[in-house]
Amino acid sequence: MSSFLNERRPPVFCPGCTHDRITKELDRALEIMGLPADKTVIVSDIGCSGLFDTFFNVHALHGLHGRALTYAQGLKLANPELNVIVTMGDGGLGIGGAHVLAACRKNMDVTLIVLNNFNFGMTGGQYSSTTPTAAVVGSEFLNHAEIPIDICAVAESAGATYISRCSGHDAKLAETFVEAMGHKGFSLVETFGMCTGRYTKRNPLTPKVIDEMIAAMPRNNGPVEKNKRAEYGEVYRQLALEKKRFPEPVTIEKLIDPAAPKREEIVILGSAGMRIVTAGDIVCYAGMTAGMNVSMKNDYNITVLRGQSVSEILISPEKIGYAGIQAPTVVVAISDEGVQRRRSMFATLSPETFVIKEKSVAIPETPARVFEVDFKESKVKRHDWALASLGLLAKEGKGFTFEMLSHAVHARFNEKVAGIAMETVEKMYRS
Amino acid sequence: MALSFMEGNEAVARGAMAAGCSFFAGYPITPATTVFANMLKMLPPRGGVCVQGEDEIASMGYCIGASMAGKKALTATSGPGLSLYSEQISFAVGSEIPLVIVDVQRLGPSTGSATRGADSDIQFMRWGNTGGVPVIVLVPKDALDCYLLTVHAFNYAEEFRCPVFIASNKEIGMTKESVDLDAVTLPPLVARKPYRGDAYVPFEAGPESAPDFLPIGGRDLVRQTSSTHGPDGYITIDPGVIEANQERLQNKILAAEERITLYEENHRPGADTLVISYGVTSRAVDDACAHLEKKGRPVSSLTLKTLWPVPETLLLKAAKSYRRIVVVEMNLGQYVGEIQRVLCGKKIDFYGQMDGILIKPGKIMEVIENE
């Protein structure tokens, strides 16, 4: 096999820099694997490791600091045939730590090579997430107050399926890369190396010292049995295959020609659990069965299971412009929480506004026509009060007719649920 | 005629599917979440990929990777997420990576109000990239626009090889309404222009156009970089090469200004005032103008659907015969400055409101009438 090295762009690392050796070993690994160049991409990070993509005759993507894994995974998801290799320094590891954790958890078939040389070489030798506490670096004393991260230990607990830590001077480095790239799933190879330009000047670090450091650390050299599982993309595609049904838009046929279509502004004031949004849907469907334009704004508490639930609905024969409520024609007040939310509205209602008020609910003074209903006495359960109110509105000829409502209920629910819902609606309609 | 019933966010998702989008990555955030939820229902049955990133930055990174592999990619967020997108947006702008970004705006600044709408990010979308390179921002006024403009957004993203923003708003994104999908004619779909020669240079292009595209993973090797680069995709410090590329990034958008300009206008005979607005506010403006017309006070309206690049030609032409311009925005005044710049010398009145509620037609009438 021939080299993948880009002859027009030879490596430009400082003399003695371990990155130089890693470049050659990565090339040897690619040769051994015989990967097709056009199905291989090197995604590089920022810093000296960010130069890697330029040295190889494969596809290349050089991105922002710490984000290399995000591009790599996007590429792999979009094109599962790609062999994706990421080079990242200890700087990228620190700034993009969340992405490393996520990559370990996802287990996408991407190989991450962390070129750890214990400092930010390119910007002047500041401390990084892997700098030893006692090291002398460009950040004065700051690293003395922190401890370095052991990314292999972190990756193992985050679920990585292949982890290897080795010296950048290891004679078998290319073989390690081959094994990592051959691993189906996320593989992380951490190499320890020397930054001759910045770090080793002030810190005694030689290949021998690196070997001793690695020997003193927990051993990581291959597949992680306890994390073994299927590759993310394969799992995703298998799960996605089961999703066969494309959700077509909800479409309501015009079935009724209303005699005198007019604009209605309907406000339903309820609480979480009272199926206010469902009732709003039904009102909109009712309008649409008469060929009317509709709009619905909902207001509910972010905690979902408590607080107000308010639905504001417009029904109009004209195209709807401003989608807020201006002059309600109908107000349904079925909970104090909902009423409180629109308290100031009541004084502004017109005498023609039709207000349905449940007996237990208190409303502010209003010039509107108030119709009190005792749902409790009628034995309507609280979560059906909104639906039951719609039956009353149809009975009073407010907002929509019974026929429109009936079509809407049948369009909104399946046959069984629609049958039960219609019992509630009819009970009030006929009351 | 059968009407569909959907919220703006669903309409965006349907527009994306109609445009041939096959990749979505996003991170949950109110009020944009249901774009993601809809894409997650729609993409798998059509063979697409929809993933949740570990954060917004990752989501944009996934989209960038997928786009470079040749996919039409979409993401959606709100203000706080857009802040996190910023570095990746710069990458996509500077490195000519097609993407569509939906910003379902909420009230800012910062965490702001998750469930309250405002057109908070109009200037942020434009200037949220390092380098100040022009971007394209489209703004829908209703669910139907969400559907239609998303298709335009994908087309522009493909043609100009850049991120294109949809400046939606909670008040459109999460409001359900009846939509006549059959009434809309979608533009013909634009495909990313592939390189046809035999010596691919990734960023070689005419002075006012985007480079032809080849995907990472195709037969020809592709170089992509976030750094300042020459046509070959390698880092450069050559001032001439840098300058030419910066100018091209600017010109490819600005030279196409008129073609990118989408709008609606309603010139009423006898009107001396033109109201300029965009987004959900335009609907209240329409109501206000219709009401004033009934009262015998005709007022014209211009609804902008392209905010960036600033539709200067349109503004000059539309405003020409009017004595007075009124600008209404659902913020404290973000776009009015652009209008003042373009229409300098005109009498321009402004009304802005950013309190979590929609601007009412009555308020707009008051602004128009109380000169």
Side-chain angles (χ1 to χ4, degrees):
Chain A
M1 288 300 295
S2 56
S3 168
F4 286 74
L5 287 175
N6 182 354
E7 284 170 15
R8 293 190 301 127
R9 299 271 164 174
V12 289
F13 297 116
C14 303
C17 172
T18 310
H19 286 17
D20 199 69
R21 190 164 185 282
I22 294 170
T23 307
K24 295 191 176 84
E25 291 295 297
L26 179 58
D27 179 47
R28 200 156 71 80
L30 292 171
E31 280 184 47
I32 293 167
M33 294 190 83
L35 296 176
D38 61 355
K39 291 288 167 233
T40 303
V41 55
I42 292 183
V43 182
S44 67
D45 210 84
I46 291 290
C48 298
S49 71
L51 300 169
F52 262 64
D53 65 290
T54 59
F55 304 143
F56 291 87
N57 276 325
V58 296
H59 292 285
L61 195 155
H62 168 70
L64 290 154
H65 203 186
R67 316 302 176 204
L69 279 169
T70 71
Y71 317 125
Q73 293 177 109
L75 283 161
K76 184 71 186 177
L77 278 169
N79 184 352
E81 284 185 7
L82 275 173
N83 304 294
V84 184
I85 301 150
V86 179
T87 59
M88 180 189 288
D90 36 312
L93 180 68
I95 192 173
H99 307 309
V100 179
L101 296 183
C104 293
R105 291 174 49 236
K106 274 200 166 71
N107 195 36
M108 215 176 290
D109 190 16
V110 164
T111 298
L112 170 64
I113 301 172
V114 179
L115 294 96
N116 180 3
N117 60 8
F118 309 103
N119 79 133
F120 290 134
M122 204 176 255
T123 48
Q126 294 80 9
Y127 83 116
S128 76
S129 62
T130 63
T131 303
T133 301
V136 181
V137 288
S139 309
E140 301 201 6
F141 60 89
L142 295 176
N143 61 304
H144 303 317
E146 291 186 25
I147 59 164
I149 198 167
D150 174 352
I151 190 56
C152 292
V154 171
E156 185 177 332
S157 62
T161 51
Y162 180 102
I163 303 167
S164 185
R165 174 159 41 214
C166 52
S167 167
H169 299 270
D170 193 313
K172 290 187 173 169
L173 188 58
E175 283 75 8
T176 301
F177 288 155
V178 168
E179 196 180 292
M181 288 190 277
H183 174 77
K184 184 88 176 166
F186 182 67
S187 52
L188 185 152
V189 179
E190 184 191 26
T191 62
F192 277 14
M194 299 188 301
C195 173
T196 49
R198 299 289 184 193
Y199 190 79
T200 56
K201 281 182 178 170
R202 289 183 283 187
N203 298 284
L205 193 65
T206 62
K208 185 164 174 285
V209 173
I210 285 175
D211 286 342
E212 287 164 8
M213 285 169 74
I214 291 172
M217 293 179 85
R219 192 173 154 80
N220 288 285
N221 61 350
V224 182
E225 202 53 39
K226 68 170 183 178
N227 291 337
K228 192 175 172 184
R229 63 193 187 278
E231 196 263 341
Y232 178 91
E234 284 184 353
V235 176
Y236 173 88
R237 287 186 288 276
Q238 196 181 343
L239 293 171
L241 264 185
E242 293 163 17
K243 309 289 174 194
K244 295 188 192 324
R245 200 178 65 84
F246 184 83
E248 296 298 339
V250 169
T251 297
I252 307 294
E253 295 284 342
K254 181 182 176 184
L255 300 166
I256 296 162
D257 244 327
K262 67 179 183 59
R263 182 181 169 99
E264 300 281 357
E265 300 194 4
I266 300 169
V267 183
I268 308 177
L269 305 170
S271 293
M274 296 181 85
R275 302 176 182 170
I276 302 301
V277 177
T278 307
D281 269 350
I282 292 170
V283 173
C284 288
Y285 285 25
M288 291 169 73
T289 61
M292 309 269 262
N293 295 293
V294 300
S295 117
M296 173 168 76
K297 269 157 61 90
N298 298 315
D299 171 5
Y300 41 81
N301 212 327
I302 46 166
T303 48
V304 183
L305 293 177
R306 64 173 74 235
Q308 85 290 350
S309 180
V310 172
S311 190
E312 298 177 327
I313 299 137
L314 300 181
I315 301 177
S316 171
E318 315 290 333
K319 194 163 186 283
I320 293 169
Y322 174 73
I325 295 283
Q326 299 194 86
T329 54
V330 172
V331 175
V332 176
I334 50 173
S335 101
D336 288 329
E337 285 165 312
V339 169
Q340 284 305 322
R341 197 77 183 180
R342 293 289 184 277
R343 199 173 174 76
S344 59
M345 177 183 75
F346 284 88
T348 69
L349 298 177
S350 93
E352 284 81 48
T353 306
F354 183 70
V355 177
I356 293 180
K357 181 187 95 69
E358 213 287 332
K359 189 162 180 258
S360 61
V361 176
I363 60 169
E365 266 198 40
T366 176
R369 183 158 77 89
V370 180
F371 182 92
E372 187 170 281
V373 56
D374 190 340
F375 283 131
K376 279 182 198 156
E377 197 186 71
S378 302
K379 296 200 166 37
V380 178
K381 290 199 176 102
R382 196 165 181 270
H383 62 245
D384 279 337
W385 287 7
L387 182 67
S389 300
L390 304 187
L392 278 177
L393 288 178
K395 180 185 176 184
E396 297 290 322
K398 295 291 173 189
F400 41 82
T401 64
F402 181 79
E403 192 187 7
M404 287 160 74
L405 181 59
S406 172
H407 283 308
V409 167
H410 286 94
R412 179 64 178 76
F413 299 121
N414 66 36
E415 206 177 322
K416 190 180 159 206
V417 179
I420 298 165
M422 281 312 290
E423 279 175 30
T424 304
V425 168
E426 283 189 54
K427 186 176 188 178
M428 300 320 295
Y429 182 71
R430 316 237 176 255
S431 65
Chain B
M1 181 189 72
L3 294 172
S4 295
F5 185 53
M6 66 180 71
E7 60 171 26
N9 286 348
E10 180 183 338
V12 163
R14 296 199 178 277
M17 296 308 294
C21 171
S22 62
F23 191 96
F24 181 96
Y27 186 81
I29 180 168
T30 305
T33 304
T34 48
V35 177
F36 171 30
N38 276 285
M39 292 307 281
L40 191 51
K41 296 270 184 244
M42 293 179 199
L43 276 171
R46 295 275 161 90
V49 174
C50 183
V51 291
Q52 178 173 323
E54 57 269 25
D55 55 33
E56 282 89 346
I57 299 169
S59 302
M60 273 289 282
Y62 295 164
C63 286
I64 284 171
S67 181
M68 284 312 299
K71 304 286 184 191
K72 286 187 176 182
L74 174 75
T75 186
T77 192
S78 299
L82 194 68
S83 304
L84 292 171
Y85 279 4
S86 186
E87 59 170 25
Q88 303 278 36
I89 290 169
S90 296
F91 181 11
V93 167
S95 302
E96 303 181 78
I97 301 166
L99 277 178
V100 176
I101 300 165
V102 181
D103 177 16
V104 188
Q105 298 169 91
R106 67 194 216 185
L107 192 73
S110 187
T111 306
S113 302
T115 57
R116 294 290 173 266
D119 288 325
S120 284
D121 313 331
I122 298 305
Q123 289 286 345
F124 187 33
M125 279 179 255
R126 167 61 184 91
W127 297 105
N129 71 78
T130 53
V133 172
V135 296
I136 299 172
V137 179
L138 308 181
V139 51
K141 73 172 197 178
D142 54 22
L144 193 65
D145 269 352
C146 287
Y147 178 65
L148 176 63
L149 294 185
T150 301
V151 178
H152 280 293
F154 272 97
N155 279 353
Y156 294 148
E158 295 300 316
E159 179 182 351
F160 299 103
R161 280 193 64 169
C162 62
V164 176
F165 296 85
I166 303 274
S168 186
N169 176 316
K170 179 261 160 187
E171 293 289 356
I172 299 167
M174 291 181 71
T175 298
K176 275 183 164 182
E177 56 183 336
S178 48
V179 179
D180 186 0
L181 292 179
D182 300 331
V184 65
T185 308
L186 296 179
L189 298 190
V190 173
R192 209 167 298 179
K193 195 177 163 206
Y195 177 77
R196 301 275 186 210
D198 51 14
Y200 186 54
V201 182
F203 295 98
E204 198 168 62
E208 290 181 353
S209 56
D212 293 348
F213 182 85
L214 284 180
I216 283 179
R219 198 197 58 200
D220 295 276
L221 297 185
V222 171
R223 296 204 55 74
Q224 179 56 280
T225 177
S226 56
S227 298
T228 303
H229 50 269
D232 58 5
Y234 287 106
I235 291 173
T236 182
I237 52 167
D238 182 321
V241 173
I242 292 170
E243 186 184 25
N245 196 51
Q246 298 288 340
E247 283 181 358
R248 185 177 61 73
L249 289 176
Q250 178 150 312
N251 291 341
K252 73 172 180 180
I253 305 289
L254 296 187
E257 171 216 311
E258 284 186 73
R259 204 152 51 77
I260 299 171
T261 298
L262 304 172
Y263 63 100
E264 270 174 34
E265 59 185 338
N266 191 347
H267 287 290
R268 290 185 167 88
D272 70 346
T273 299
L274 174 72
V275 187
I276 302 178
S277 63
Y278 58 86
V280 71
T281 306
S282 298
R283 299 166 61 154
V285 168
D286 290 347
D287 282 4
C289 291
H291 205 79
L292 285 170
E293 188 173 34
K294 277 186 202 154
K295 282 174 62 179
R297 165 88 202 264
V299 172
S300 297
S301 62
L302 173 64
T303 300
L304 300 179
K305 304 212 175 169
T306 300
L307 292 183
W308 308 101
V310 178
E312 297 189 7
T313 315
L314 167 73
L315 288 170
L316 288 166
K317 190 163 151 262
K320 198 170 178 188
S321 59
Y322 293 96
R323 179 185 61 81
R324 177 190 178 213
I325 307 296
V326 175
V327 179
V328 188
E329 289 185 81
M330 204 175 172
N331 52 47
L332 299 181
Q334 295 200 20
Y335 202 71
V336 63
E338 300 300 324
I339 292 167
Q340 284 164 335
R341 176 178 63 77
V342 176
L343 303 180
C344 60
K346 280 271 179 197
K347 177 177 166 51
I348 297 174
D349 293 326
F350 172 72
Y351 179 73
Q353 180 183 307
M354 189 152 151
D355 56 0
I357 57 169
L358 288 166
I359 303 173
K360 292 185 167 69
K363 184 74 215 179
I364 295 167
M365 286 164 61
E366 192 183 307
V367 172
I368 294 169
E369 289 183 305
N370 294 347
E371 188 170 353

